[in-house]
Amino acid sequence: AASGGADDPERGANAGARAERPRRDLDKACRRAGCVPGPDGACKRPPGWLATKIVGVGWKKTGTTSLQAAFRALGLEPECQCSSLRQLDAFKATQDSAFSWNVTLVAEAKARYPAAKFVLTWRDPAAWNASIAHWTTSVKPWAFERYARFMGDGVPGSAAFLAAYSRHSELVRTLFRDEPDRLLVLNVEDDGAADAMRRL
């Protein structure tokens, strides 16, 4: 009989493990933040404490790992690499993952969380293009096709891929033209990056 069908126990176990991962991440983040998650998965904190969120919307290799470190240093926890609004509902901050390339999702988050702030991490386009080309050929070659699919145009390191990066940044900036105080454009290599995060 063919394996991998709906009744395949191994497949079912893997799906269950994937479903449990966000909950485990939330449990650990809550404990770091000094609270204990309740039976429904929500942290026992005062009502509305999750209303103010920080959402990283910069593309991969623009300083997203540094942004995550900043979240933790500033006490913005629990945080995760959220892939949907439903998941983000339970977290105070997110970076990378779906919000780094899906501008439609960013627009939905802007509307859903009116008190949220957004951080567009940014690097010099040429330096970023060289970095991601190296990342997808030498460090994580298995991510090559996935990155190309996320970006929607071109091969990592190509001119078309670079244009897609610039287009993403411009779309995010345009999205916040009506509320510029909700978007911080951040180059993590700048001397004032840490102070800019604190002000936000």
Side-chain angles (χ1 to χ4, degrees):
S3 62
D7 297 326
D8 185 345
E10 183 177 350
R11 181 179 179 181
N14 290 339
R18 287 193 298 270
E20 282 296 314
R21 183 175 178 181
R23 174 59 186 268
R24 290 198 303 270
D25 290 346
L26 178 58
D27 288 354
K28 289 189 292 186
C30 279
R31 281 191 282 274
R32 284 199 304 270
C35 63
V36 178
D40 60 352
C43 283
K44 294 180 180 178
R45 288 275 183 159
W49 82 283
L50 283 171
T52 302
K53 300 179 183 294
I54 305 292
V55 183
V57 295
W59 225 80
K60 295 173 179 292
K61 306 305 295 176
T62 59
T64 53
T65 301
S66 298
L67 185 61
Q68 181 186 48
F71 288 161
R72 295 182 177 182
L74 296 172
L76 295 169
E77 295 195 83
E79 59 83 28
C80 79
Q81 290 186 5
C82 299
S83 58
S84 68
L85 296 181
R86 183 176 179 181
Q87 189 177 6
L88 183 55
D89 281 343
F91 289 84
K92 201 167 183 69
T94 186
Q95 49 76 36
D96 209 322
S97 192
F99 289 88
S100 69
W101 55 269
N102 189 333
V103 178
T104 299
L105 189 59
V106 175
E108 292 172 352
K110 179 191 175 191
R112 186 181 183 109
Y113 313 112
K117 303 287 187 176
F118 296 77
V119 181
L120 175 63
T121 44
W122 183 90
R123 290 179 67 185
D124 171 76
W128 170 84
N129 204 30
S131 175
I132 206 161
H134 170 72
W135 185 257
T136 55
T137 55
S138 302
V139 182
K140 287 190 175 182
W142 53 265
F144 187 94
E145 292 184 2
R146 186 175 68 174
Y147 278 32
R149 185 174 69 253
F150 285 167
M151 213 60 164
D153 195 3
V155 173
S158 68
F161 200 74
L162 179 58
Y165 166 75
S166 298
R167 186 165 59 248
H168 170 83
S169 297
E170 185 57 34
L171 287 172
V172 172
R173 291 170 191 255
T174 300
L175 180 62
F176 287 92
R177 279 181 182 168
D178 60 331
E179 296 181 283
D181 59 315
R182 294 183 64 191
L183 177 68
L184 170 65
V185 179
L186 184 72
N187 185 334
V188 298
E189 296 175 341
D190 287 348
D191 291 339
D195 289 337
M197 273 296 297
R198 291 190 188 95
R199 288 194 299 271
L200 183 70

mmCIF file of all heavy atoms in Angstrom, residues 3 7 17 36 48 58-59 61 92 94 118 125 131 138 148 154 157 192:
data_model
loop_
_atom_site.group_PDB
_atom_site.id
_atom_site.type_symbol
_atom_site.label_atom_id
_atom_site.label_comp_id
_atom_site.label_asym_id
_atom_site.label_seq_id
_atom_site.Cartn_x
_atom_site.Cartn_y
_atom_site.Cartn_z
ATOM 1 N N SER A 3 2.279 4.826 1.028
ATOM 2 C CA SER A 3 2.373 5.522 2.310
ATOM 3 C C SER A 3 2.149 7.003 2.109
ATOM 4 O O SER A 3 2.169 7.500 0.997
ATOM 5 C CB SER A 3 3.758 5.289 2.933
ATOM 6 O OG SER A 3 4.755 5.835 2.083
ATOM 7 N N ASP A 7 -4.364 8.452 6.352
ATOM 8 C CA ASP A 7 -4.344 7.588 7.524
ATOM 9 C C ASP A 7 -2.929 7.206 7.946
ATOM 10 O O ASP A 7 -2.736 6.357 8.806
ATOM 11 C CB ASP A 7 -5.146 6.306 7.239
ATOM 12 C CG ASP A 7 -6.620 6.616 6.972
ATOM 13 O OD1 ASP A 7 -7.114 7.572 7.600
ATOM 14 O OD2 ASP A 7 -7.232 5.921 6.157
ATOM 15 N N ALA A 17 3.004 17.526 15.638
ATOM 16 C CA ALA A 17 4.180 18.205 16.179
ATOM 17 C C ALA A 17 4.271 19.631 15.658
ATOM 18 O O ALA A 17 4.598 20.558 16.406
ATOM 19 C CB ALA A 17 5.446 17.424 15.815
ATOM 20 N N VAL A 36 2.899 33.105 33.043
ATOM 21 C CA VAL A 36 2.603 31.703 32.791
ATOM 22 C C VAL A 36 1.405 31.616 31.859
ATOM 23 O O VAL A 36 0.368 32.238 32.121
ATOM 24 C CB VAL A 36 2.289 30.948 34.103
ATOM 25 C CG1 VAL A 36 1.944 29.501 33.814
ATOM 26 C CG2 VAL A 36 3.474 31.030 35.051
ATOM 27 N N GLY A 48 -5.306 43.817 27.400
ATOM 28 C CA GLY A 48 -4.795 44.810 26.455
ATOM 29 C C GLY A 48 -3.286 44.894 26.369
ATOM 30 O O GLY A 48 -2.754 45.677 25.587
ATOM 31 N N GLY A 58 10.910 43.903 7.396
ATOM 32 C CA GLY A 58 12.045 43.943 6.478
ATOM 33 C C GLY A 58 12.359 42.559 5.946
ATOM 34 O O GLY A 58 12.097 41.546 6.602
ATOM 35 N N TRP A 59 12.949 42.523 4.744
ATOM 36 C CA TRP A 59 13.207 41.238 4.123
ATOM 37 C C TRP A 59 14.342 40.510 4.806
ATOM 38 O O TRP A 59 15.105 41.080 5.588
ATOM 39 C CB TRP A 59 13.491 41.406 2.623
ATOM 40 C CG TRP A 59 12.731 40.384 1.851
ATOM 41 C CD1 TRP A 59 11.419 40.427 1.516
ATOM 42 C CD2 TRP A 59 13.234 39.137 1.375
ATOM 43 N NE1 TRP A 59 11.059 39.290 0.846
ATOM 44 C CE2 TRP A 59 12.156 38.475 0.741
ATOM 45 C CE3 TRP A 59 14.464 38.518 1.411
ATOM 46 C CZ2 TRP A 59 12.289 37.228 0.160
ATOM 47 C CZ3 TRP A 59 14.602 37.268 0.834
ATOM 48 C CH2 TRP A 59 13.522 36.638 0.214
ATOM 49 N N LYS A 61 17.802 38.785 5.763
ATOM 50 C CA LYS A 61 19.181 39.255 5.649
ATOM 51 C C LYS A 61 19.291 40.775 5.681
ATOM 52 O O LYS A 61 20.247 41.354 5.169
ATOM 53 C CB LYS A 61 19.862 38.709 4.383
ATOM 54 C CG LYS A 61 19.810 37.199 4.237
ATOM 55 C CD LYS A 61 20.369 36.484 5.443
ATOM 56 C CE LYS A 61 21.851 36.727 5.638
ATOM 57 N NZ LYS A 61 22.384 36.097 6.891
ATOM 58 N N LYS A 92 3.648 39.527 21.199
ATOM 59 C CA LYS A 92 3.841 40.970 21.279
ATOM 60 C C LYS A 92 4.715 41.514 20.152
ATOM 61 O O LYS A 92 4.663 42.697 19.840
ATOM 62 C CB LYS A 92 4.467 41.325 22.634
ATOM 63 C CG LYS A 92 4.265 42.774 23.047
ATOM 64 C CD LYS A 92 4.617 42.984 24.500
ATOM 65 C CE LYS A 92 4.356 44.425 24.932
ATOM 66 N NZ LYS A 92 2.918 44.735 24.969
ATOM 67 N N THR A 94 7.043 40.305 16.302
ATOM 68 C CA THR A 94 7.399 39.303 15.297
ATOM 69 C C THR A 94 8.385 39.912 14.314
ATOM 70 O O THR A 94 8.459 41.142 14.157
ATOM 71 C CB THR A 94 6.156 38.780 14.563
ATOM 72 O OG1 THR A 94 6.529 37.693 13.694
ATOM 73 C CG2 THR A 94 5.500 39.858 13.710
ATOM 74 N N PHE A 118 5.624 49.287 13.292
ATOM 75 C CA PHE A 118 6.249 48.428 12.296
ATOM 76 C C PHE A 118 7.684 48.869 12.053
ATOM 77 O O PHE A 118 7.982 50.062 12.053
ATOM 78 C CB PHE A 118 5.447 48.459 10.996
ATOM 79 C CG PHE A 118 4.061 47.891 11.140
ATOM 80 C CD1 PHE A 118 3.052 48.627 11.750
ATOM 81 C CD2 PHE A 118 3.762 46.609 10.685
ATOM 82 C CE1 PHE A 118 1.770 48.098 11.904
ATOM 83 C CE2 PHE A 118 2.492 46.078 10.836
ATOM 84 C CZ PHE A 118 1.492 46.817 11.449
ATOM 85 N N PRO A 125 21.124 48.122 -0.935
ATOM 86 C CA PRO A 125 20.655 47.075 -1.851
ATOM 87 C C PRO A 125 21.752 46.188 -2.432
ATOM 88 O O PRO A 125 21.594 44.965 -2.496
ATOM 89 C CB PRO A 125 19.937 47.875 -2.953
ATOM 90 C CG PRO A 125 19.463 49.103 -2.260
ATOM 91 C CD PRO A 125 20.549 49.444 -1.275
ATOM 92 N N SER A 131 24.858 39.532 -0.078
ATOM 93 C CA SER A 131 24.701 38.718 1.134
ATOM 94 C C SER A 131 23.727 37.576 0.918
ATOM 95 O O SER A 131 23.990 36.425 1.292
ATOM 96 C CB SER A 131 24.231 39.598 2.294
ATOM 97 O OG SER A 131 23.965 38.818 3.443
ATOM 98 N N SER A 138 25.871 29.158 -0.459
ATOM 99 C CA SER A 138 26.911 28.555 0.380
ATOM 100 C C SER A 138 26.441 28.141 1.767
ATOM 101 O O SER A 138 26.877 27.126 2.296
ATOM 102 C CB SER A 138 28.088 29.537 0.527
ATOM 103 O OG SER A 138 28.617 29.870 -0.737
ATOM 104 N N ALA A 148 13.442 32.522 -3.807
ATOM 105 C CA ALA A 148 13.016 33.019 -5.116
ATOM 106 C C ALA A 148 11.491 33.046 -5.208
ATOM 107 O O ALA A 148 10.899 33.983 -5.750
ATOM 108 C CB ALA A 148 13.601 32.147 -6.220
ATOM 109 N N GLY A 154 12.830 36.516 -10.168
ATOM 110 C CA GLY A 154 14.274 36.435 -10.305
ATOM 111 C C GLY A 154 14.946 35.408 -9.435
ATOM 112 O O GLY A 154 14.359 34.784 -8.565
ATOM 113 N N GLY A 157 20.414 37.019 -6.058
ATOM 114 C CA GLY A 157 21.659 37.579 -6.557
ATOM 115 C C GLY A 157 21.528 38.246 -7.909
ATOM 116 O O GLY A 157 22.436 38.962 -8.332
ATOM 117 N N GLY A 192 22.909 54.951 15.424
ATOM 118 C CA GLY A 192 21.746 55.303 16.238
ATOM 119 C C GLY A 192 20.619 54.295 16.205
ATOM 120 O O GLY A 192 19.511 54.595 16.648
#
